[in-house]
Amino acid sequence: MRDDSTGREFARESIAAQALGWVDPETRAIVAPIHPSTTFLRDPDNQYRSGRVYGRSDNPTFDQAEALVTALEGGASSMLFASGMAAATAVFLSLEAGDHVVVPEAMYCSLQSWIRSAGARFGLRASIVDMTDPREVAKAIVPGETRLVWVETPANPLWGVTDIAEVSRLARAAGALVCVDSTSATPVLTRPIDWGADLVLHSATKYLNGHSDVLAGTLTAAREGDFWERIRATRSQIGSLAGPFEAWLLVRGMRTLFLRVRAASASALAIAERLERHPRVLSVLYPGLSSFPGHVVAARQMDGAFGGMLSIRIRGGEAAAVRVASRVSLWKRATSLGGVESLIEHRASVEGEGSRVPKDLLRLSVGIEATRDLIADLDQALAGD
Ligand SMILES: *Cc1c(COP(=O)(O)O)cnc(C)c1O
């Protein structure tokens, strides 16, 4: 999106606020319509010149959402899915049976469990490594066999930071693709493609939409090509598309993305710094703290802030952590993240059986309420007992 008078590219804040400056050519409306149609008219000569055939392949309401994500990520093309999991599994389902992938130990738990169960049943071979340590990644990559390296940074729920440039360099040298789950960083703070990644994933359910009222996922490709078209075919074949209303709400949510992410990041840093000194808190896991092991890489890779996600470990173990969560009043005890309202959860309870998350850990998704109110509520919740 360019300034007509100067030819200068607008800043991404401006592109997001105006959703690419879209204007309806006929009505001059500045908000796009929703197209519920699942089918499209064939031309009299039996062609489909519109490029649209049936709603399981795409929908005109997707165009603006996909173009906006592409612009914010600096990619070549994006695709919208029914959820983050639909987008992530489409990547793995587009590989061949027997392909080798390298995935992180610490990552979004439902995706790791899918890779270990359904993925394995369909012949995927996965090495699970500490992705924050490039030496471990280098050891796990098998040249000629590894097709994909999966990165999540900062990674759920310990917020470990992976050096995207370093992992991308290792993967490229072995002919493997890199897909970065950038849900928690958002395009406001990290653009994985600029650091060498091939694909970027978002659970758009989280920050991109930002209001806890849409399930959606996106993939963005650094470049188009055979693998990208295979993912497009997978989406159409298994029907893992978002609905047009969700696509429309997502565009509306993305207009305020920069404001929301910056406000949440500022509050999260203030909360992290305060809790780090709290006697009831064993440790604070937040990439913005200089004491955090991934801080140096995060400071290089993230644009001036560290996001709205942090975790705290409570002295006294699981029971004490659950009691702290039970006493909040402004924070909402709920899973998910990236919405305008602040959420707190005992993560091990959500992940259930087999979770390796420390039992004393509470995950915090910082919203856009007044920082003062958020801190006061945590202070009183921690002061109980
Ligand atoms: C929520 C989440 C997902 C899955 O997204 P859904 O929209 O819930 O399917 C994937 N990765 C991360 C990091 C997430 O937080």
Side-chain angles (χ1 to χ4, degrees), residues 46-252:
N46 215 29
Q47 304 296 305
Y48 270 117
R49 274 184 207 82
S50 69
R52 318 259 186 206
V53 178
Y54 182 55
R56 191 159 27 74
S57 298
D58 86 57
N59 180 295
T61 319
F62 285 18
D63 294 359
Q64 194 181 12
E66 292 181 339
L68 183 51
V69 174
T70 301
L72 298 182
E73 285 294 353
S77 178
S78 298
M79 269 185 250
L80 187 57
F81 289 82
S83 66
M85 280 296 287
T89 52
V91 175
F92 289 97
L93 290 171
S94 301
L95 298 170
E96 300 286 342
D99 276 351
H100 179 246
V101 297
V102 181
V103 304
E105 233 159 47
M107 68 184 285
Y108 184 69
C109 69
S110 304
L111 182 58
Q112 193 181 76
S113 92
W114 183 88
I115 293 166
R116 286 170 181 268
S117 55
R121 279 204 301 282
F122 289 99
L124 208 61
R125 292 182 298 128
S127 298
I128 299 177
V129 304
D130 175 1
M131 197 60 70
T132 66
D133 181 353
R135 286 164 306 187
E136 291 292 307
V137 182
K139 267 194 267 168
I141 291 176
V142 187
E145 285 185 37
T146 306
R147 282 295 312 284
L148 178 70
V149 179
W150 191 269
V151 171
E152 180 180 324
T153 183
N156 251 292
L158 308 174
W159 313 112
V161 177
T162 292
D163 185 334
I164 300 169
E166 182 62 11
V167 168
S168 299
R169 197 182 57 72
L170 294 169
R172 175 154 315 127
L177 297 172
V178 171
C179 182
V180 177
D181 180 342
S182 199
T183 298
S184 67
T186 80
V188 175
L189 302 178
T190 304
R191 295 218 297 181
I193 290 171
D194 290 352
W195 298 102
D198 301 286
L199 294 166
V200 182
L201 172 121
H202 288 284
S203 167
T205 312
K206 314 294 170 53
Y207 287 102
L208 294 191
N209 179 64
H211 294 75
S212 307
D213 53 11
V214 165
L215 269 178
T218 65
L219 284 174
T220 301
R223 65 201 79 75
E224 293 175 288
D226 290 349
F227 191 64
W228 186 239
E229 288 316 313
R230 199 186 258 219
I231 294 172
R232 190 183 301 286
T234 300
R235 182 180 72 161
S236 167
Q237 285 155 354
I238 67 178
S240 53
L241 287 82
F245 185 54
E246 280 72 15
W248 185 88
L249 275 174
L250 179 57
V251 171
R252 175 147 68 220

Side-chain angles (χ1 to χ4, degrees), residues 163-368:
D163 185 334
I164 300 169
E166 182 62 11
V167 168
S168 299
R169 197 182 57 72
L170 294 169
R172 175 154 315 127
L177 297 172
V178 171
C179 182
V180 177
D181 180 342
S182 199
T183 298
S184 67
T186 80
V188 175
L189 302 178
T190 304
R191 295 218 297 181
I193 290 171
D194 290 352
W195 298 102
D198 301 286
L199 294 166
V200 182
L201 172 121
H202 288 284
S203 167
T205 312
K206 314 294 170 53
Y207 287 102
L208 294 191
N209 179 64
H211 294 75
S212 307
D213 53 11
V214 165
L215 269 178
T218 65
L219 284 174
T220 301
R223 65 201 79 75
E224 293 175 288
D226 290 349
F227 191 64
W228 186 239
E229 288 316 313
R230 199 186 258 219
I231 294 172
R232 190 183 301 286
T234 300
R235 182 180 72 161
S236 167
Q237 285 155 354
I238 67 178
S240 53
L241 287 82
F245 185 54
E246 280 72 15
W248 185 88
L249 275 174
L250 179 57
V251 171
R252 175 147 68 220
M254 284 192 287
R255 288 176 183 261
T256 55
L257 177 68
F258 283 79
L259 288 177
R260 289 186 283 104
V261 170
R262 292 212 173 109
S265 298
S267 281
L269 181 59
I271 291 167
E273 284 173 345
R274 184 175 176 98
L275 295 186
E276 204 180 21
R277 298 188 305 266
H278 198 291
R280 300 288 314 277
V281 175
L282 189 66
S283 61
V284 177
L285 310 176
Y286 184 62
L289 293 174
S290 54
S291 59
F292 190 74
H295 177 70
V296 172
V297 175
R300 183 166 68 231
Q301 190 169 279
M302 301 180 81
D303 188 9
F306 300 90
M309 296 304 301
L310 67 144
S311 294
I312 54 177
R313 297 185 63 180
I314 304 295
R315 281 190 203 282
E318 177 168 17
V322 170
R323 274 200 305 280
V324 170
S326 76
R327 283 192 291 259
V328 294
S329 75
L330 179 63
W331 292 74
K332 293 284 171 285
R333 261 183 317 280
T335 193
S336 195
L337 61 97
V340 289
E341 64 288 296
S342 294
L343 306 179
I344 186 166
E345 69 173 348
H346 180 246
R347 188 66 191 165
S349 298
V350 172
E351 293 195 2
E353 199 76 25
S355 168
R356 283 180 301 177
V357 173
K359 297 267 193 280
D360 56 6
L361 182 141
L362 295 174
R363 190 181 84 171
L364 278 60
S365 169
V366 180
I368 62 167

